[in-house]
Amino acid sequence: MSHQDELTAVERSLDDLVRSVGRLEARLGAGLDVRRVRSDTDHLRESLDLLKQSAAAGPSRRGGAPPAVEMVTISDAPYDAALWAGAEDEGLGCRHGHAP
């Protein structure tokens, strides 16, 4: 079975689930529990749509070759002290390296 067939089967199952939740909602009312299940089914629908888009985009989006990464060189030279002017030292350790 191809991935497209699998996605179609999942979509049909999700449609069945949405219909079943709708019937439960009609019987039980729109209480908190039913709204949560409805929200979950909506979330599943959105996730399935994203998965279908990803599958349609081709192998480069599905884990083929990773995208080229540009290397950024960071200098070892110390930063300008004015950059830290007014910064709080709280949570960064002792200022002089000795514990109180």
Side-chain angles (χ1 to χ4, degrees):
M1 192 179 254
S2 74
H3 73 272
Q4 188 60 40
D5 293 337
E6 292 288 346
L7 287 171
T8 302
V10 170
E11 191 169 26
R12 284 187 197 127
S13 297
L14 184 55
D15 290 341
D16 291 341
L17 177 62
V18 168
R19 281 190 292 275
S20 296
V21 169
R23 287 191 298 267
L24 278 174
E25 190 172 20
R27 271 190 211 157
L28 302 174
L32 177 62
D33 294 337
V34 174
R35 287 195 320 254
R36 287 182 66 190
V37 172
R38 168 69 66 195
S39 175
D40 290 344
T41 56
D42 293 342
H43 228 165
L44 282 171
R45 173 77 64 201
E46 291 169 6
S47 296
L48 181 60
D49 289 342
L50 289 172
L51 182 61
K52 286 169 51 177
Q53 290 173 11
S54 171
S60 63
R61 291 262 327 251
R62 289 195 314 263
V69 177
E70 179 183 348
M71 297 297 286
V72 177
T73 304
I74 299 175
S75 172
D76 288 334
Y79 289 109
D80 180 10
L83 180 66
W84 310 112
E88 297 283 331
D89 283 341
E90 184 176 338
L92 298 177
C94 295
R95 185 179 300 234
H96 306 293
H98 300 303

